[in-house]
Amino acid sequence: MYFAALLARTAEGWEASDTELDDVETLTDLIELARGASKDDDTVLAFLEHEDAWFGVVRVDGEDDPHIYVSDAAAAARTSYGSMLTDELLGRDPDDDLDSLVDLDGTEDGEPDRDDDEDADSDAPVPVGPLGDGDILADLGMEEKELKALDGDALESIADMLGCSMEGLEAVR
């Protein structure tokens, strides 16, 4: 079971809101969902959690490239939304696996793929433990060491650090 929330910076402070992942099929969808929660291109944190096994934070600052952090990449890679994040962090193209199954790359059977060198890392194992931008929250008051120490109550700890109302957070949960 997934839990997802958006923490959006507003003029009054941070605001937590529950979010549905029904229409999120790609990382781009998640980023657009986060950008939609911002009124003035302010910072939005999209928080994903899967059964206390892992959590992920996607930080969106206006139109800048997003920053991503996953608490346990190996655990996340075994789930649909987690693999979306780990694929991005590892530079993998999720469509590569499908292409290799049906030979859509334009090569003949037995002929080497044209871009084998580029895809050399696509079969590399996903690392156990944290992956991504450990300093994703550093300018907001949470250093990498603190982020890596978070456990199943990660959202509550992050919201508390941001000064986000616990009442609003309880409503999200």
Side-chain angles (χ1 to χ4, degrees):
M1 164 94 40
Y2 287 97
F3 172 74
L6 297 175
L7 303 176
R9 183 185 288 177
T10 67
E12 294 81 35
W14 288 88
E15 184 178 295
S17 62
D18 189 9
T19 189
E20 292 294 324
L21 297 175
D22 295 342
D23 296 329
V24 174
E25 295 180 11
T26 66
L27 181 58
T28 301
D29 294 339
L30 181 62
I31 292 166
E32 289 306 312
L33 181 68
R35 284 190 175 126
S38 174
K39 294 173 179 73
D40 296 319
D41 288 337
D42 284 328
T43 300
V44 176
L45 303 175
F47 183 87
L48 298 170
E49 178 183 279
H50 185 261
E51 299 176 352
D52 289 335
W54 64 269
F55 71 88
V57 179
V58 178
R59 178 178 175 162
V60 178
D61 295 301
E63 294 298 318
D64 292 346
D65 288 339
H67 298 270
I68 303 169
Y69 174 83
V70 177
S71 65
D72 186 339
R78 292 188 294 269
T79 64
S80 59
Y81 293 112
S83 65
M84 177 177 70
L85 300 177
T86 57
D87 285 348
E88 177 69 20
L89 290 168
L90 295 171
R92 295 180 176 173
D93 183 358
D95 294 330
D96 283 349
D97 293 336
L98 296 175
D99 289 347
S100 65
L101 291 175
V102 293
D103 278 335
L104 294 177
D105 62 359
T107 59
E108 297 290 327
D109 285 340
E111 183 180 339
D113 291 339
R114 285 178 258 163
D115 57 355
D116 276 347
D117 292 337
E118 293 174 19
D119 291 339
D121 291 342
S122 67
D123 293 331
V126 177
V128 175
L131 181 65
D133 184 358
D135 288 327
I136 192 169
L137 303 173
D139 64 321
L140 301 174
M142 182 173 280
E143 298 298 323
E144 181 174 6
K145 183 178 179 180
E146 294 170 288
L147 182 62
K148 287 182 176 181
L150 294 178
D151 58 9
D153 295 329
L155 178 59
E156 288 85 357
S157 297
I158 292 170
D160 186 47
M161 179 268 311
L162 294 173
C164 185
S165 166
M166 290 307 285
E167 290 176 21
L169 190 58
E170 289 302 319
V172 170
R173 277 268 188 207

